[in-house]
Amino acid sequence: MKIAVMSCIHGNYEALNAVLSDIDDQNADKVYCLGDLVGYGPHPNAVVEMIRALDIPTCQGCWDEDIVEGLNACECSYPSVLAEKRGKLAHDWTNQVIHPEVREYLAQLPFSLRDDNLCFVHGSPHNQHEYLLPEVNAFVAMERVLATGADVLFCGHTHVPYVRSLDAGQLQIRVKVTGKSEANMSFSAPLKRIVNAGSVGEPRHGRPNATYVIYDTNDDQIILREVEYDYQKTCAAIIEKGLPPIFAWRLARGMEFAERADDPTHVCER
Amino acid sequence: MQTLEITLVTGSSGAGKTTWIQQQIRPIADTAIYLSLGSDETAIDATYLAAEIPGLTVLPVTHLANFSEQPPDKHVIYLELGFHVDLTSLILPDKMVVHRRVAVLPPGTRHPECHDWADLVVTGVKTSVALQQPHLWRSVLSGQVLDLASLNTFWYELTHGAYGTIQRAKGIFDVADGRSLYFDFVAGLPETTHLELNLPLWLNGRPDRFSGIEVVGEMLDQEAIAQTIKECCLNDQAIAYYQQQIKDSLEPGDEVA
């Protein structure tokens, strides 16, 4: 069975359409979405309506949560004062234009989804705002996968796609129970994987193309797909709708700066 | 009557006027004086040289007349002329005698005005952006403290064309950890990271020293540049918070302003 996984659409309707078309071409049997349907982009309502119309199982992303709960991001969500101010601008704009039924839909999205030995989350199994960057240390990476009970953990949030295999991982823990001597306990874990789907609507891999993932359950094959689309149309809509022009500039270049935070691999404690 | 011999240095934007002067001055810093004409209140080059060359005397242009009346006991004066200064309009005080005129130009450049004017033409660096109608934008930022991560983002955007075509950009910025940083960009040259100026950490409120930015380019979105810089600036509460953290981490003897 072929599963398509996409994430971080961010109100980019043009990119979503292109990715859905590519998913059709790949003959995927199922489609999952890892959230962040809204934020930064000019068409949040249209994106949500499309996802709902196609009945695509979707997790709640950090942006989806913030639009429902009100902006309450932890400090680690923003790598700089400038990024935070821009994020708030995007939040305010999205908050104003979002339809009530769209907000209700975002509110009822689950935090995670399961399908057999696969788990789907937005940021990490612990938090929508936590970045599972490819360089996060192996212990943390393994802990995050084991916390789900699944073998393959699909995530997004970083906007940079990657596949990470945690091969024959072993955890050793020293345990001291009151009144007893310390004991070392070892756990061996079989192959686990973290698959980051990148971003449909706001890529940060240096090109404007949308990215998503095709996973074939029959042979465990993972393909990172990159899809061209008319990003200039989205850029024009960003400016036309009154969003900051810098959003269009960076969208056209596939760049953002989240990964430039002082400590992007830190563990979110929100 | 004592006369003062000066070297006038002109050239195109980004060609390396200040760099050439720095090379000349460094070995004789204790007997050298530097002035920059055309920088107005945005004294980036003067601040940079004063911080980087111990012993150098840097004078504001407003002191030029008084200075020529009561010259100090120093003999080597370098007067840098901004690329936008009209060379024919330059009138110096009577006591100043031009020793030599130097033009710093990119390789292969034929610049009739400079070539006719200069005694010496120095081959500088070539920029990858040739501007039809260079536009100069400046802003004094003294007293402002910037978040470094935000500043890095802004500088990347600026030098990669988010706010117009940039040929040259330079700036001195005070950042949250107390440092004063010098940023320098010339289109076509390898990107360099910022340089920490040889100044004490400023850890007591808003800095009382120069900081500012200068940009040369075309189609500049000045409003967006100014707004983005403003969004990189920290408020009093944040400044106090960061400064206290740095103070707490200092070792005895660390130099603080």
Side-chain angles (χ1 to χ4, degrees):
Chain A
M1 182 171 63
K2 274 186 176 177
I3 295 175
V5 185
M6 59 180 172
S7 186
C8 305
I9 303 164
H10 285 295
N12 189 337
Y13 189 69
E14 300 299 325
L16 175 60
N17 268 322
V19 164
L20 289 172
S21 176
D22 194 73
I23 288 171
D24 272 349
D25 294 344
Q26 299 301 311
N27 297 313
D29 302 292
K30 275 186 180 178
V31 183
Y32 286 92
C33 179
L34 308 180
D36 269 9
L37 306 182
V38 302
Y40 295 119
H43 300 300
N45 292 311
V47 163
V48 172
E49 283 157 14
M50 175 68 86
I51 294 290
R52 290 184 73 179
L54 296 174
D55 204 17
I56 295 173
T58 301
C59 308
Q60 188 183 61
C62 57
W63 266 92
D64 308 323
E65 181 199 27
D66 284 349
I67 285 297
V68 172
E69 303 290 339
L71 193 58
N72 183 29
C74 60
E75 287 183 3
C76 59
S77 287
Y78 294 108
S80 71
V81 170
L82 182 61
E84 184 175 359
K85 286 176 180 170
R86 287 173 173 173
K88 284 178 177 171
L89 273 177
H91 175 89
D92 289 344
W93 183 89
T94 307
N95 203 33
Q96 282 175 16
V97 302
I98 207 93
H99 298 158
E101 65 273 18
V102 168
R103 201 187 304 272
E104 285 170 21
Y105 170 78
L106 297 177
Q108 55 80 47
L109 290 175
F111 180 70
S112 65
L113 293 163
R114 281 297 296 264
D115 183 345
D116 193 22
N117 68 332
L118 314 177
C119 180
F120 306 87
V121 300
H122 176 71
S124 91
H126 291 353
N127 195 299
Q128 292 112 308
H129 293 261
E130 184 175 278
Y131 287 95
L132 279 185
L133 291 170
E135 61 267 27
V136 71
N137 80 55
F139 183 89
V140 172
M142 180 63 90
E143 190 280 330
R144 294 300 187 265
V145 184
L146 291 178
T148 68
D151 293 323
V152 185
L153 171 63
F154 291 93
C155 62
H157 192 41
T158 70
H159 295 212
V160 182
Y162 70 86
V163 179
R164 184 175 183 181
S165 295
L166 300 160
D167 193 4
Q170 188 170 46
L171 297 180
Q172 188 170 57
I173 302 170
R174 177 164 292 183
V175 180
K176 184 175 183 181
V177 181
T178 307
K180 296 183 179 177
S181 59
E182 290 184 357
N184 288 328
M185 301 172 67
S186 294
F187 303 87
S188 293
L191 174 70
K192 303 286 184 185
R193 280 184 182 174
I194 298 176
V195 181
N196 192 303
S199 172
V200 170
E202 202 204 35
R204 295 176 187 167
H205 60 286
R207 293 179 293 280
N209 304 332
T211 65
Y212 77 100
V213 162
I214 294 281
Y215 175 64
D216 193 327
T217 58
N218 296 325
D219 58 7
D220 252 2
Q221 189 184 37
I222 298 165
I223 301 171
L224 302 178
R225 298 283 303 168
E226 189 168 328
V227 182
E228 292 183 4
Y229 74 101
D230 187 357
Y231 63 85
Q232 294 290 7
K233 207 168 174 179
T234 304
C235 291
I238 286 171
I239 293 166
E240 183 191 327
K241 299 268 184 181
L243 283 158
I246 195 72
F247 291 179
W249 184 82
R250 68 190 189 190
L251 178 67
R253 286 154 184 81
M255 63 172 63
E256 238 291 350
F257 303 100
E259 68 277 13
R260 293 188 178 188
D262 284 345
D263 180 17
T265 60
H266 75 288
V267 178
C268 176
E269 295 177 351
R270 186 186 183 197
Chain B
M1 183 175 76
Q2 183 183 357
T3 57
L4 296 167
E5 292 188 349
I6 66 173
T7 298
L8 299 175
V9 183
T10 189
S12 50
S13 169
K17 297 185 289 295
T18 311
T19 302
W20 183 81
I21 292 171
Q22 185 179 15
Q23 290 166 352
Q24 309 305 307
I25 282 180
R26 193 176 284 280
I28 52 166
D30 288 340
T31 57
I33 296 165
Y34 171 85
L35 297 95
S36 176
L37 191 60
S39 57
D40 299 330
E41 294 178 345
T42 318
I44 294 173
D45 295 333
T47 304
Y48 166 71
L49 289 177
E52 291 305 296
I53 305 183
L56 175 67
T57 301
V58 174
L59 292 175
V61 172
T62 50
H63 292 193
L64 190 58
N66 292 340
F67 167 76
S68 63
E69 291 300 320
Q70 296 177 315
D73 186 22
K74 294 191 177 182
H75 308 288
V76 182
I77 302 169
Y78 282 81
L79 177 55
E80 180 172 348
L81 307 170
F83 75 94
H84 53 296
V85 172
D86 180 1
L87 298 175
T88 61
S89 69
L90 190 62
I91 300 172
L92 294 169
D94 293 340
K95 290 181 181 175
M96 291 196 167
V97 176
V98 175
H99 169 59
R100 59 176 174 167
R101 297 181 175 89
V102 179
V104 182
L105 297 171
T109 302
R110 179 65 197 164
H111 192 298
E113 189 185 0
C114 285
H115 278 84
D116 292 344
W117 175 85
D119 307 314
L120 170 68
V121 175
V122 174
T123 302
V125 298
K126 184 179 175 68
T127 66
S128 63
V129 173
L131 303 177
Q132 298 300 316
Q133 292 183 313
H135 185 81
L136 175 64
W137 181 85
R138 290 166 165 160
S139 181
V140 174
L141 300 170
S142 299
Q144 297 293 345
V145 177
L146 281 74
D147 166 57
L148 182 54
S150 300
L151 175 57
N152 282 326
T153 297
F154 162 69
W155 196 258
Y156 184 91
E157 292 172 353
L158 177 74
T159 56
H160 285 76
Y163 310 105
T165 304
I166 306 295
Q167 184 198 52
R168 177 89 170 101
K170 55 188 170 185
I172 291 176
F173 307 97
D174 276 296
V175 293
D177 61 10
R179 292 180 297 163
S180 178
L181 303 181
Y182 175 68
F183 282 66
D184 190 0
F185 168 82
V186 178
L189 294 189
E191 285 188 62
T192 55
T193 55
H194 53 256
L195 170 72
E196 180 182 349
L197 291 182
N198 186 25
L199 294 172
L201 295 179
W202 193 287
L203 297 176
N204 291 299
R206 291 187 177 274
D208 184 18
R209 61 188 178 192
F210 171 79
S211 62
I213 181 172
E214 179 176 308
V215 179
V216 180
E218 276 179 333
M219 306 286 286
L220 298 181
D221 188 345
Q222 300 174 31
E223 195 178 329
I225 296 173
Q227 181 63 30
T228 307
I229 293 174
K230 189 178 172 186
E231 289 171 354
C232 296
C233 294
L234 299 171
N235 61 31
D236 289 333
Q237 190 180 8
I239 293 170
Y241 171 77
Y242 288 119
Q243 289 180 342
Q244 190 57 50
Q245 283 193 320
I246 300 297
K247 281 186 206 174
D248 292 344
S249 68
L250 290 178
E251 300 289 335
D254 286 340
E255 192 181 2
V256 175

